[in-house]
Amino acid sequence: MSERITVDARGMACPGPITKLVRAYRKASPGALIEVLATDPGFKPDVEAWAKRTGNEIVELAEENGVIRAVIRVTGKK
Amino acid sequence: MERILVLGAGTGGLVAANLLASHGYPVTLIEKRETHLFQPGMLWIAFQGHNPSRYTRPVKELVRPGVELVHGEVAGIDLGDRLVRLADGRTFTYTTLIIALGAHLDYDATPGHRELVERYGDFYSGASAAEKMWSHLRELTSGRLVIAAADPLYKCPPAPHKAAFLAAYTLKRMGRLGSVEVHLALPFLHEYPSEVVARIVAPKLEDDGVRVSTLFTVESIDVREGKIYSLEGEELDFSLAAVIPAHRGPMIRVEPGEVLDEDGFIKVDKYRLNVEGYDDAYAIGDSSNAPTSKTGVTAHLGAEVVVDRIMGYDSRFNGRTNCPIVADGTASFVISSYGHPPVPVKFTRFKRMLEDLFIASYWSSLKYPERWAPIFRAYFNATDPRVISGGW
Ligand SMILES: Cc1cc2nc3c(=O)[nH]c(=O)nc-3n(C[C@H](O)[C@H](O)[C@H](O)COP(=O)(O)OP(=O)(O)OC[C@H]3O[C@@H](n4cnc5c(N)ncnc54)[C@H](O)[C@@H]3O)c2cc1C
C-alpha cells in the first residue's frame, strides 16, 4: 500500500488549505496519496489549478455536507 | 502577589507591557536581546540603503517606568505550575502570562540557505544581514535578483512584494533595471495568496518592471552555481538572491506540549487569545496560531485585547490585518479580518502617506500605546473590511 497523508484544513480560509497541501507535498514521497479536507469554497478551483501546474494527479474531488475532499497522487516528484 | 509576566520585547510584548504599566499593573518583561529592531526597516536597509540606526533602539529605552525589564533567554514554560525558566537557570512565577516570543526562522529546513544568507545577507535575518544585502545590490550591474520564499507561511505576506518594488525602484534610479532583472518567485497560485489582492498587485508589478513566477516554493539553494530549485520542479538562476526562511513557533519547551501546534506555534482561542485550556496565559503576535497573518499590526491589536481582558473587559480580537504594500511613491494595504477576506485596495499616494506616518509613529506607539489608540481605532474603524468591502 502506498503512503497516505491526511490534511485537515476545515475551517481555514484561503489560502490556508493550499498552504497545508504544499507542506504535506514537501514531505510526501513519489506515489503517495495526499487527502485534503477543506471547507473553503475556493479550495476546489485552487486544488485543480495547483495539480495541473505541478503535474500531480487528482484521484478524487468531491463535496459532501460543505466539506470538500480532495485526494491527490504525488506524480509530480522525481 | 500579582505578577504579570510578558515574554519577548518585540512589537506585541512592548505594547502589552507598556499598556499594563500605564494602568498601574506590576509587570515584568523578559527579553534576550539588548536591541529592538523595527522589522519592516530591513526592507529599507536592504533595498534602499537606509541607515540601520533609523530602525533600531535599545530595549531599555522603549519600556516605561513601572516595567521591570529582565535581560535573559526564556528556555521553558510550565503552564500548570505557572513557572517560566530561563536558560541561565533563573525562574519566575506569574499570576498572568503573556507570551510574545515571535516566530523562529528555520534556515536548516532548506539546504543551502545558511550559506546564502552568510554570503549575501537578506531582509529577514536582522539589520546587519540587510546591510549586507544592500552592499551586494549596489554592486549589481547585471544578472538577476531573485526574491523568494521557502514556505507559504511567513510573517508579513506582502514583504517579498515590497522587497521587489523597492529593489526595482533603486535599480531604476541607478539606470540598471534593464540589465538587472528583478524576479519575484512566490509560493502561491497567484501574485498574492488572495486573488482579489493579486488582481491589484499584478499589474503594478508589471508596470514597475518586476518579473513574477508563481507556485515556486524554494526547496534548495546552490550558492556556488547560483541556482534555486523549487518544490514544484522548477529552477531559477540568480546573481543575487534573498529567500524568506520557513517559520516555526518559538524554540522553547512548553508544558504541556499539547498547547503547541505541529509547527510549534501556541494554540489560542482566536478571539480571546488565551492559551488553549488556560485562562491565566495568553499568546499574541507571531508566536500564536491565531488564523490571521503574522504582522506587527496583529501583534499590536492582540496586545490591546489581552490588556483589556486582564482589566476585566470582554474584548475580542477580530484578526484584523493592515499589511502595507509599498511601491514607488504609492502604497496599498491588505485589509482583512476573521470572516472577511481581503478587499480590493488601490495603490495611491495618500495610502503611502498613511504608511509613512505609521512607520514614523512606531517608536512612540510602542512606548505610549494609549496615546495612539484613539487614532488607530479611528483608522481601523473607518477601514473595517465590512465598511470598505466594495473597495478603497
Ligand atoms: C521584512 C519584514 C517586513 C515586515 N513588514 C511589516 C509591516 O509592514 N507591517 C506589519 O504590521 N508587520 C510587518 N512585519 C511583521 C512584523 O515585524 C512582525 O509580525 C511583528 O514584529 C510580530 O511581533 P511579535 O511581538 O509577535 O514578535 P517580534 O516582534 O518578533 O518579537 C519577539 C521578541 O521575542 C524575543 N525572543 C524570542 N525568543 C526569546 C527567548 N527564548 N527568550 C527571550 N526573548 C525571546 C525576540 O528577541 C523579540 O524581541 C514585517 C516583518 C519583516 C521581517
Side-chain angles (χ1 to χ4, degrees):
Chain A
M1 239 187 78
S2 57
E3 174 196 7
R4 189 180 181 103
I5 307 169
T6 299
V7 176
D8 190 350
R10 283 176 291 187
M12 289 180 93
C14 147
I18 285 284
T19 298
K20 285 214 147 188
L21 168 59
V22 169
R23 291 170 143 210
Y25 183 62
R26 187 189 287 284
K27 290 185 206 137
S29 16
L33 291 173
I34 305 176
E35 176 185 37
V36 189
L37 302 174
T39 44
D40 175 31
F43 179 64
K44 226 171 167 171
D46 282 1
V47 72
E48 283 175 322
W50 180 86
K52 197 166 164 215
R53 291 264 312 272
T54 56
N56 290 287
E57 187 193 335
I58 298 190
V59 197
E60 214 179 303
L61 183 58
E63 191 171 344
E64 204 179 310
N65 302 325
V67 178
I68 301 163
R69 204 173 81 97
V71 181
I72 296 129
R73 186 185 302 281
V74 177
T75 48
K77 267 190 176 180
K78 279 145 251 161
Chain B
M1 228 189 70
E2 178 166 28
R3 164 131 77 168
I4 302 176
L5 206 53
V6 180
L7 309 183
T11 308
L14 280 169
V15 170
N18 285 325
L19 259 185
L20 286 163
S22 79
H23 294 297
Y25 286 89
V27 37
T28 302
L29 174 62
I30 304 179
E31 166 62 49
K32 67 177 177 189
R33 296 202 177 98
E34 307 270 6
T35 317
H36 177 102
L37 168 68
F38 173 58
Q39 295 176 30
M42 288 187 278
L43 288 161
W44 303 91
I45 301 167
F47 301 110
Q48 305 252 293
H50 284 194
N51 193 313
S53 64
R54 276 173 76 166
Y55 304 109
T56 50
R57 292 280 185 283
V59 177
K60 63 176 188 297
E61 285 176 16
L62 297 172
V63 296
R64 307 244 291 243
V67 176
E68 183 201 2
L69 180 63
V70 172
H71 179 67
E73 180 170 356
V74 176
I77 302 172
D78 192 323
L79 292 165
D81 289 344
R82 298 181 169 179
L83 195 74
V84 168
R85 231 171 347 90
L86 303 197
D88 60 17
R90 280 180 287 174
T91 55
F92 292 80
T93 54
Y94 60 83
T95 48
T96 306
L97 180 69
I98 303 177
I99 305 166
L101 293 168
H104 171 75
L105 305 181
D106 188 2
Y107 300 93
D108 297 319
T110 312
H113 204 166
R114 277 191 189 281
E115 199 185 332
L116 183 79
V117 178
E118 257 157 50
R119 175 92 179 261
Y120 298 115
D122 70 359
F123 59 107
Y124 264 69
S125 305
S128 45
E131 270 189 294
K132 194 178 247 183
M133 178 108 262
W134 171 249
S135 70
H136 286 278
L137 181 66
R138 62 191 298 186
E139 301 297 323
L140 192 65
T141 50
S142 64
R144 182 188 277 155
L145 164 67
V146 174
I147 311 280
D151 189 72
L153 183 108
Y154 56 83
K155 55 188 162 188
C156 191
H161 305 74
K162 286 195 268 187
F165 278 126
L166 294 177
Y169 179 54
T170 294
L171 289 164
K172 196 170 150 197
R173 279 175 59 195
M174 292 171 166
R176 300 190 202 142
L177 189 55
S179 44
V180 178
E181 176 187 303
V182 178
H183 199 115
L184 179 60
L186 298 163
F188 315 118
L189 271 170
H190 314 285
E191 290 80 357
Y192 195 81
S194 146
E195 221 179 322
V196 169
V197 177
R199 277 199 289 273
I200 288 175
V201 175
K204 187 78 183 150
L205 287 165
E206 194 177 340
D207 282 355
D208 287 15
V210 176
R211 289 271 320 259
V212 181
S213 296
T214 51
L215 277 186
F216 191 101
T217 315
V218 176
E219 166 102 308
S220 66
I221 304 158
D222 188 332
V223 177
R224 205 158 317 142
E225 294 291 321
K227 279 184 191 299
I228 301 185
Y229 300 92
S230 83
L231 180 61
E232 293 82 4
E234 275 155 36
E235 60 178 76
L236 269 174
D237 292 330
F238 67 87
S239 324
L240 181 60
V243 174
I244 299 176
H247 286 37
R248 285 189 44 80
M251 299 298 274
I252 53 168
R253 253 188 91 85
V254 180
E255 284 295 332
E258 302 96 78
V259 303
L260 301 181
D261 76 3
E262 63 200 25
D263 297 314
F265 294 106
I266 295 147
K267 294 187 204 162
V268 294
D269 177 292
K270 68 178 190 175
Y271 300 112
R272 296 173 186 83
L273 302 179
N274 61 293
V275 179
E276 240 179 55
Y278 293 83
D279 54 15
D280 53 5
Y282 298 89
I284 56 175
D286 294 352
S287 58
S288 92
N289 80 334
T292 180
S293 301
K294 299 198 179 300
T295 75
V297 169
T298 43
H300 187 126
L301 295 175
E304 291 185 343
V305 168
V306 167
V307 171
D308 267 1
R309 297 196 70 84
I310 290 172
M311 292 174 70
Y313 299 105
D314 188 21
S315 289
R316 309 280 170 107
F317 181 55
N318 68 2
R320 173 66 193 263
T321 67
N322 198 65
C323 315
I325 318 177
V326 173
D328 177 11
T330 61
S332 166
F333 293 99
V334 181
I335 294 178
S336 66
S337 62
Y338 290 153
H340 294 273
V343 294
V345 177
K346 285 198 294 276
F347 280 89
T348 65
R349 285 174 203 285
F350 178 71
K351 285 164 200 145
R352 175 58 185 272
M353 182 206 69
L354 283 174
E355 170 57 10
D356 287 337
L357 275 175
F358 289 141
I359 295 175
S361 75
Y362 185 69
W363 303 113
S364 176
S365 72
L366 289 183
K367 194 160 181 180
Y368 307 105
E370 76 283 8
R371 291 187 198 166
W372 289 93
I375 298 166
F376 291 158
R377 196 174 309 127
Y379 170 80
F380 286 119
N381 287 339
T383 57
D384 187 296
R386 285 167 301 190
V387 175
I388 57 163
S389 58
W392 180 33

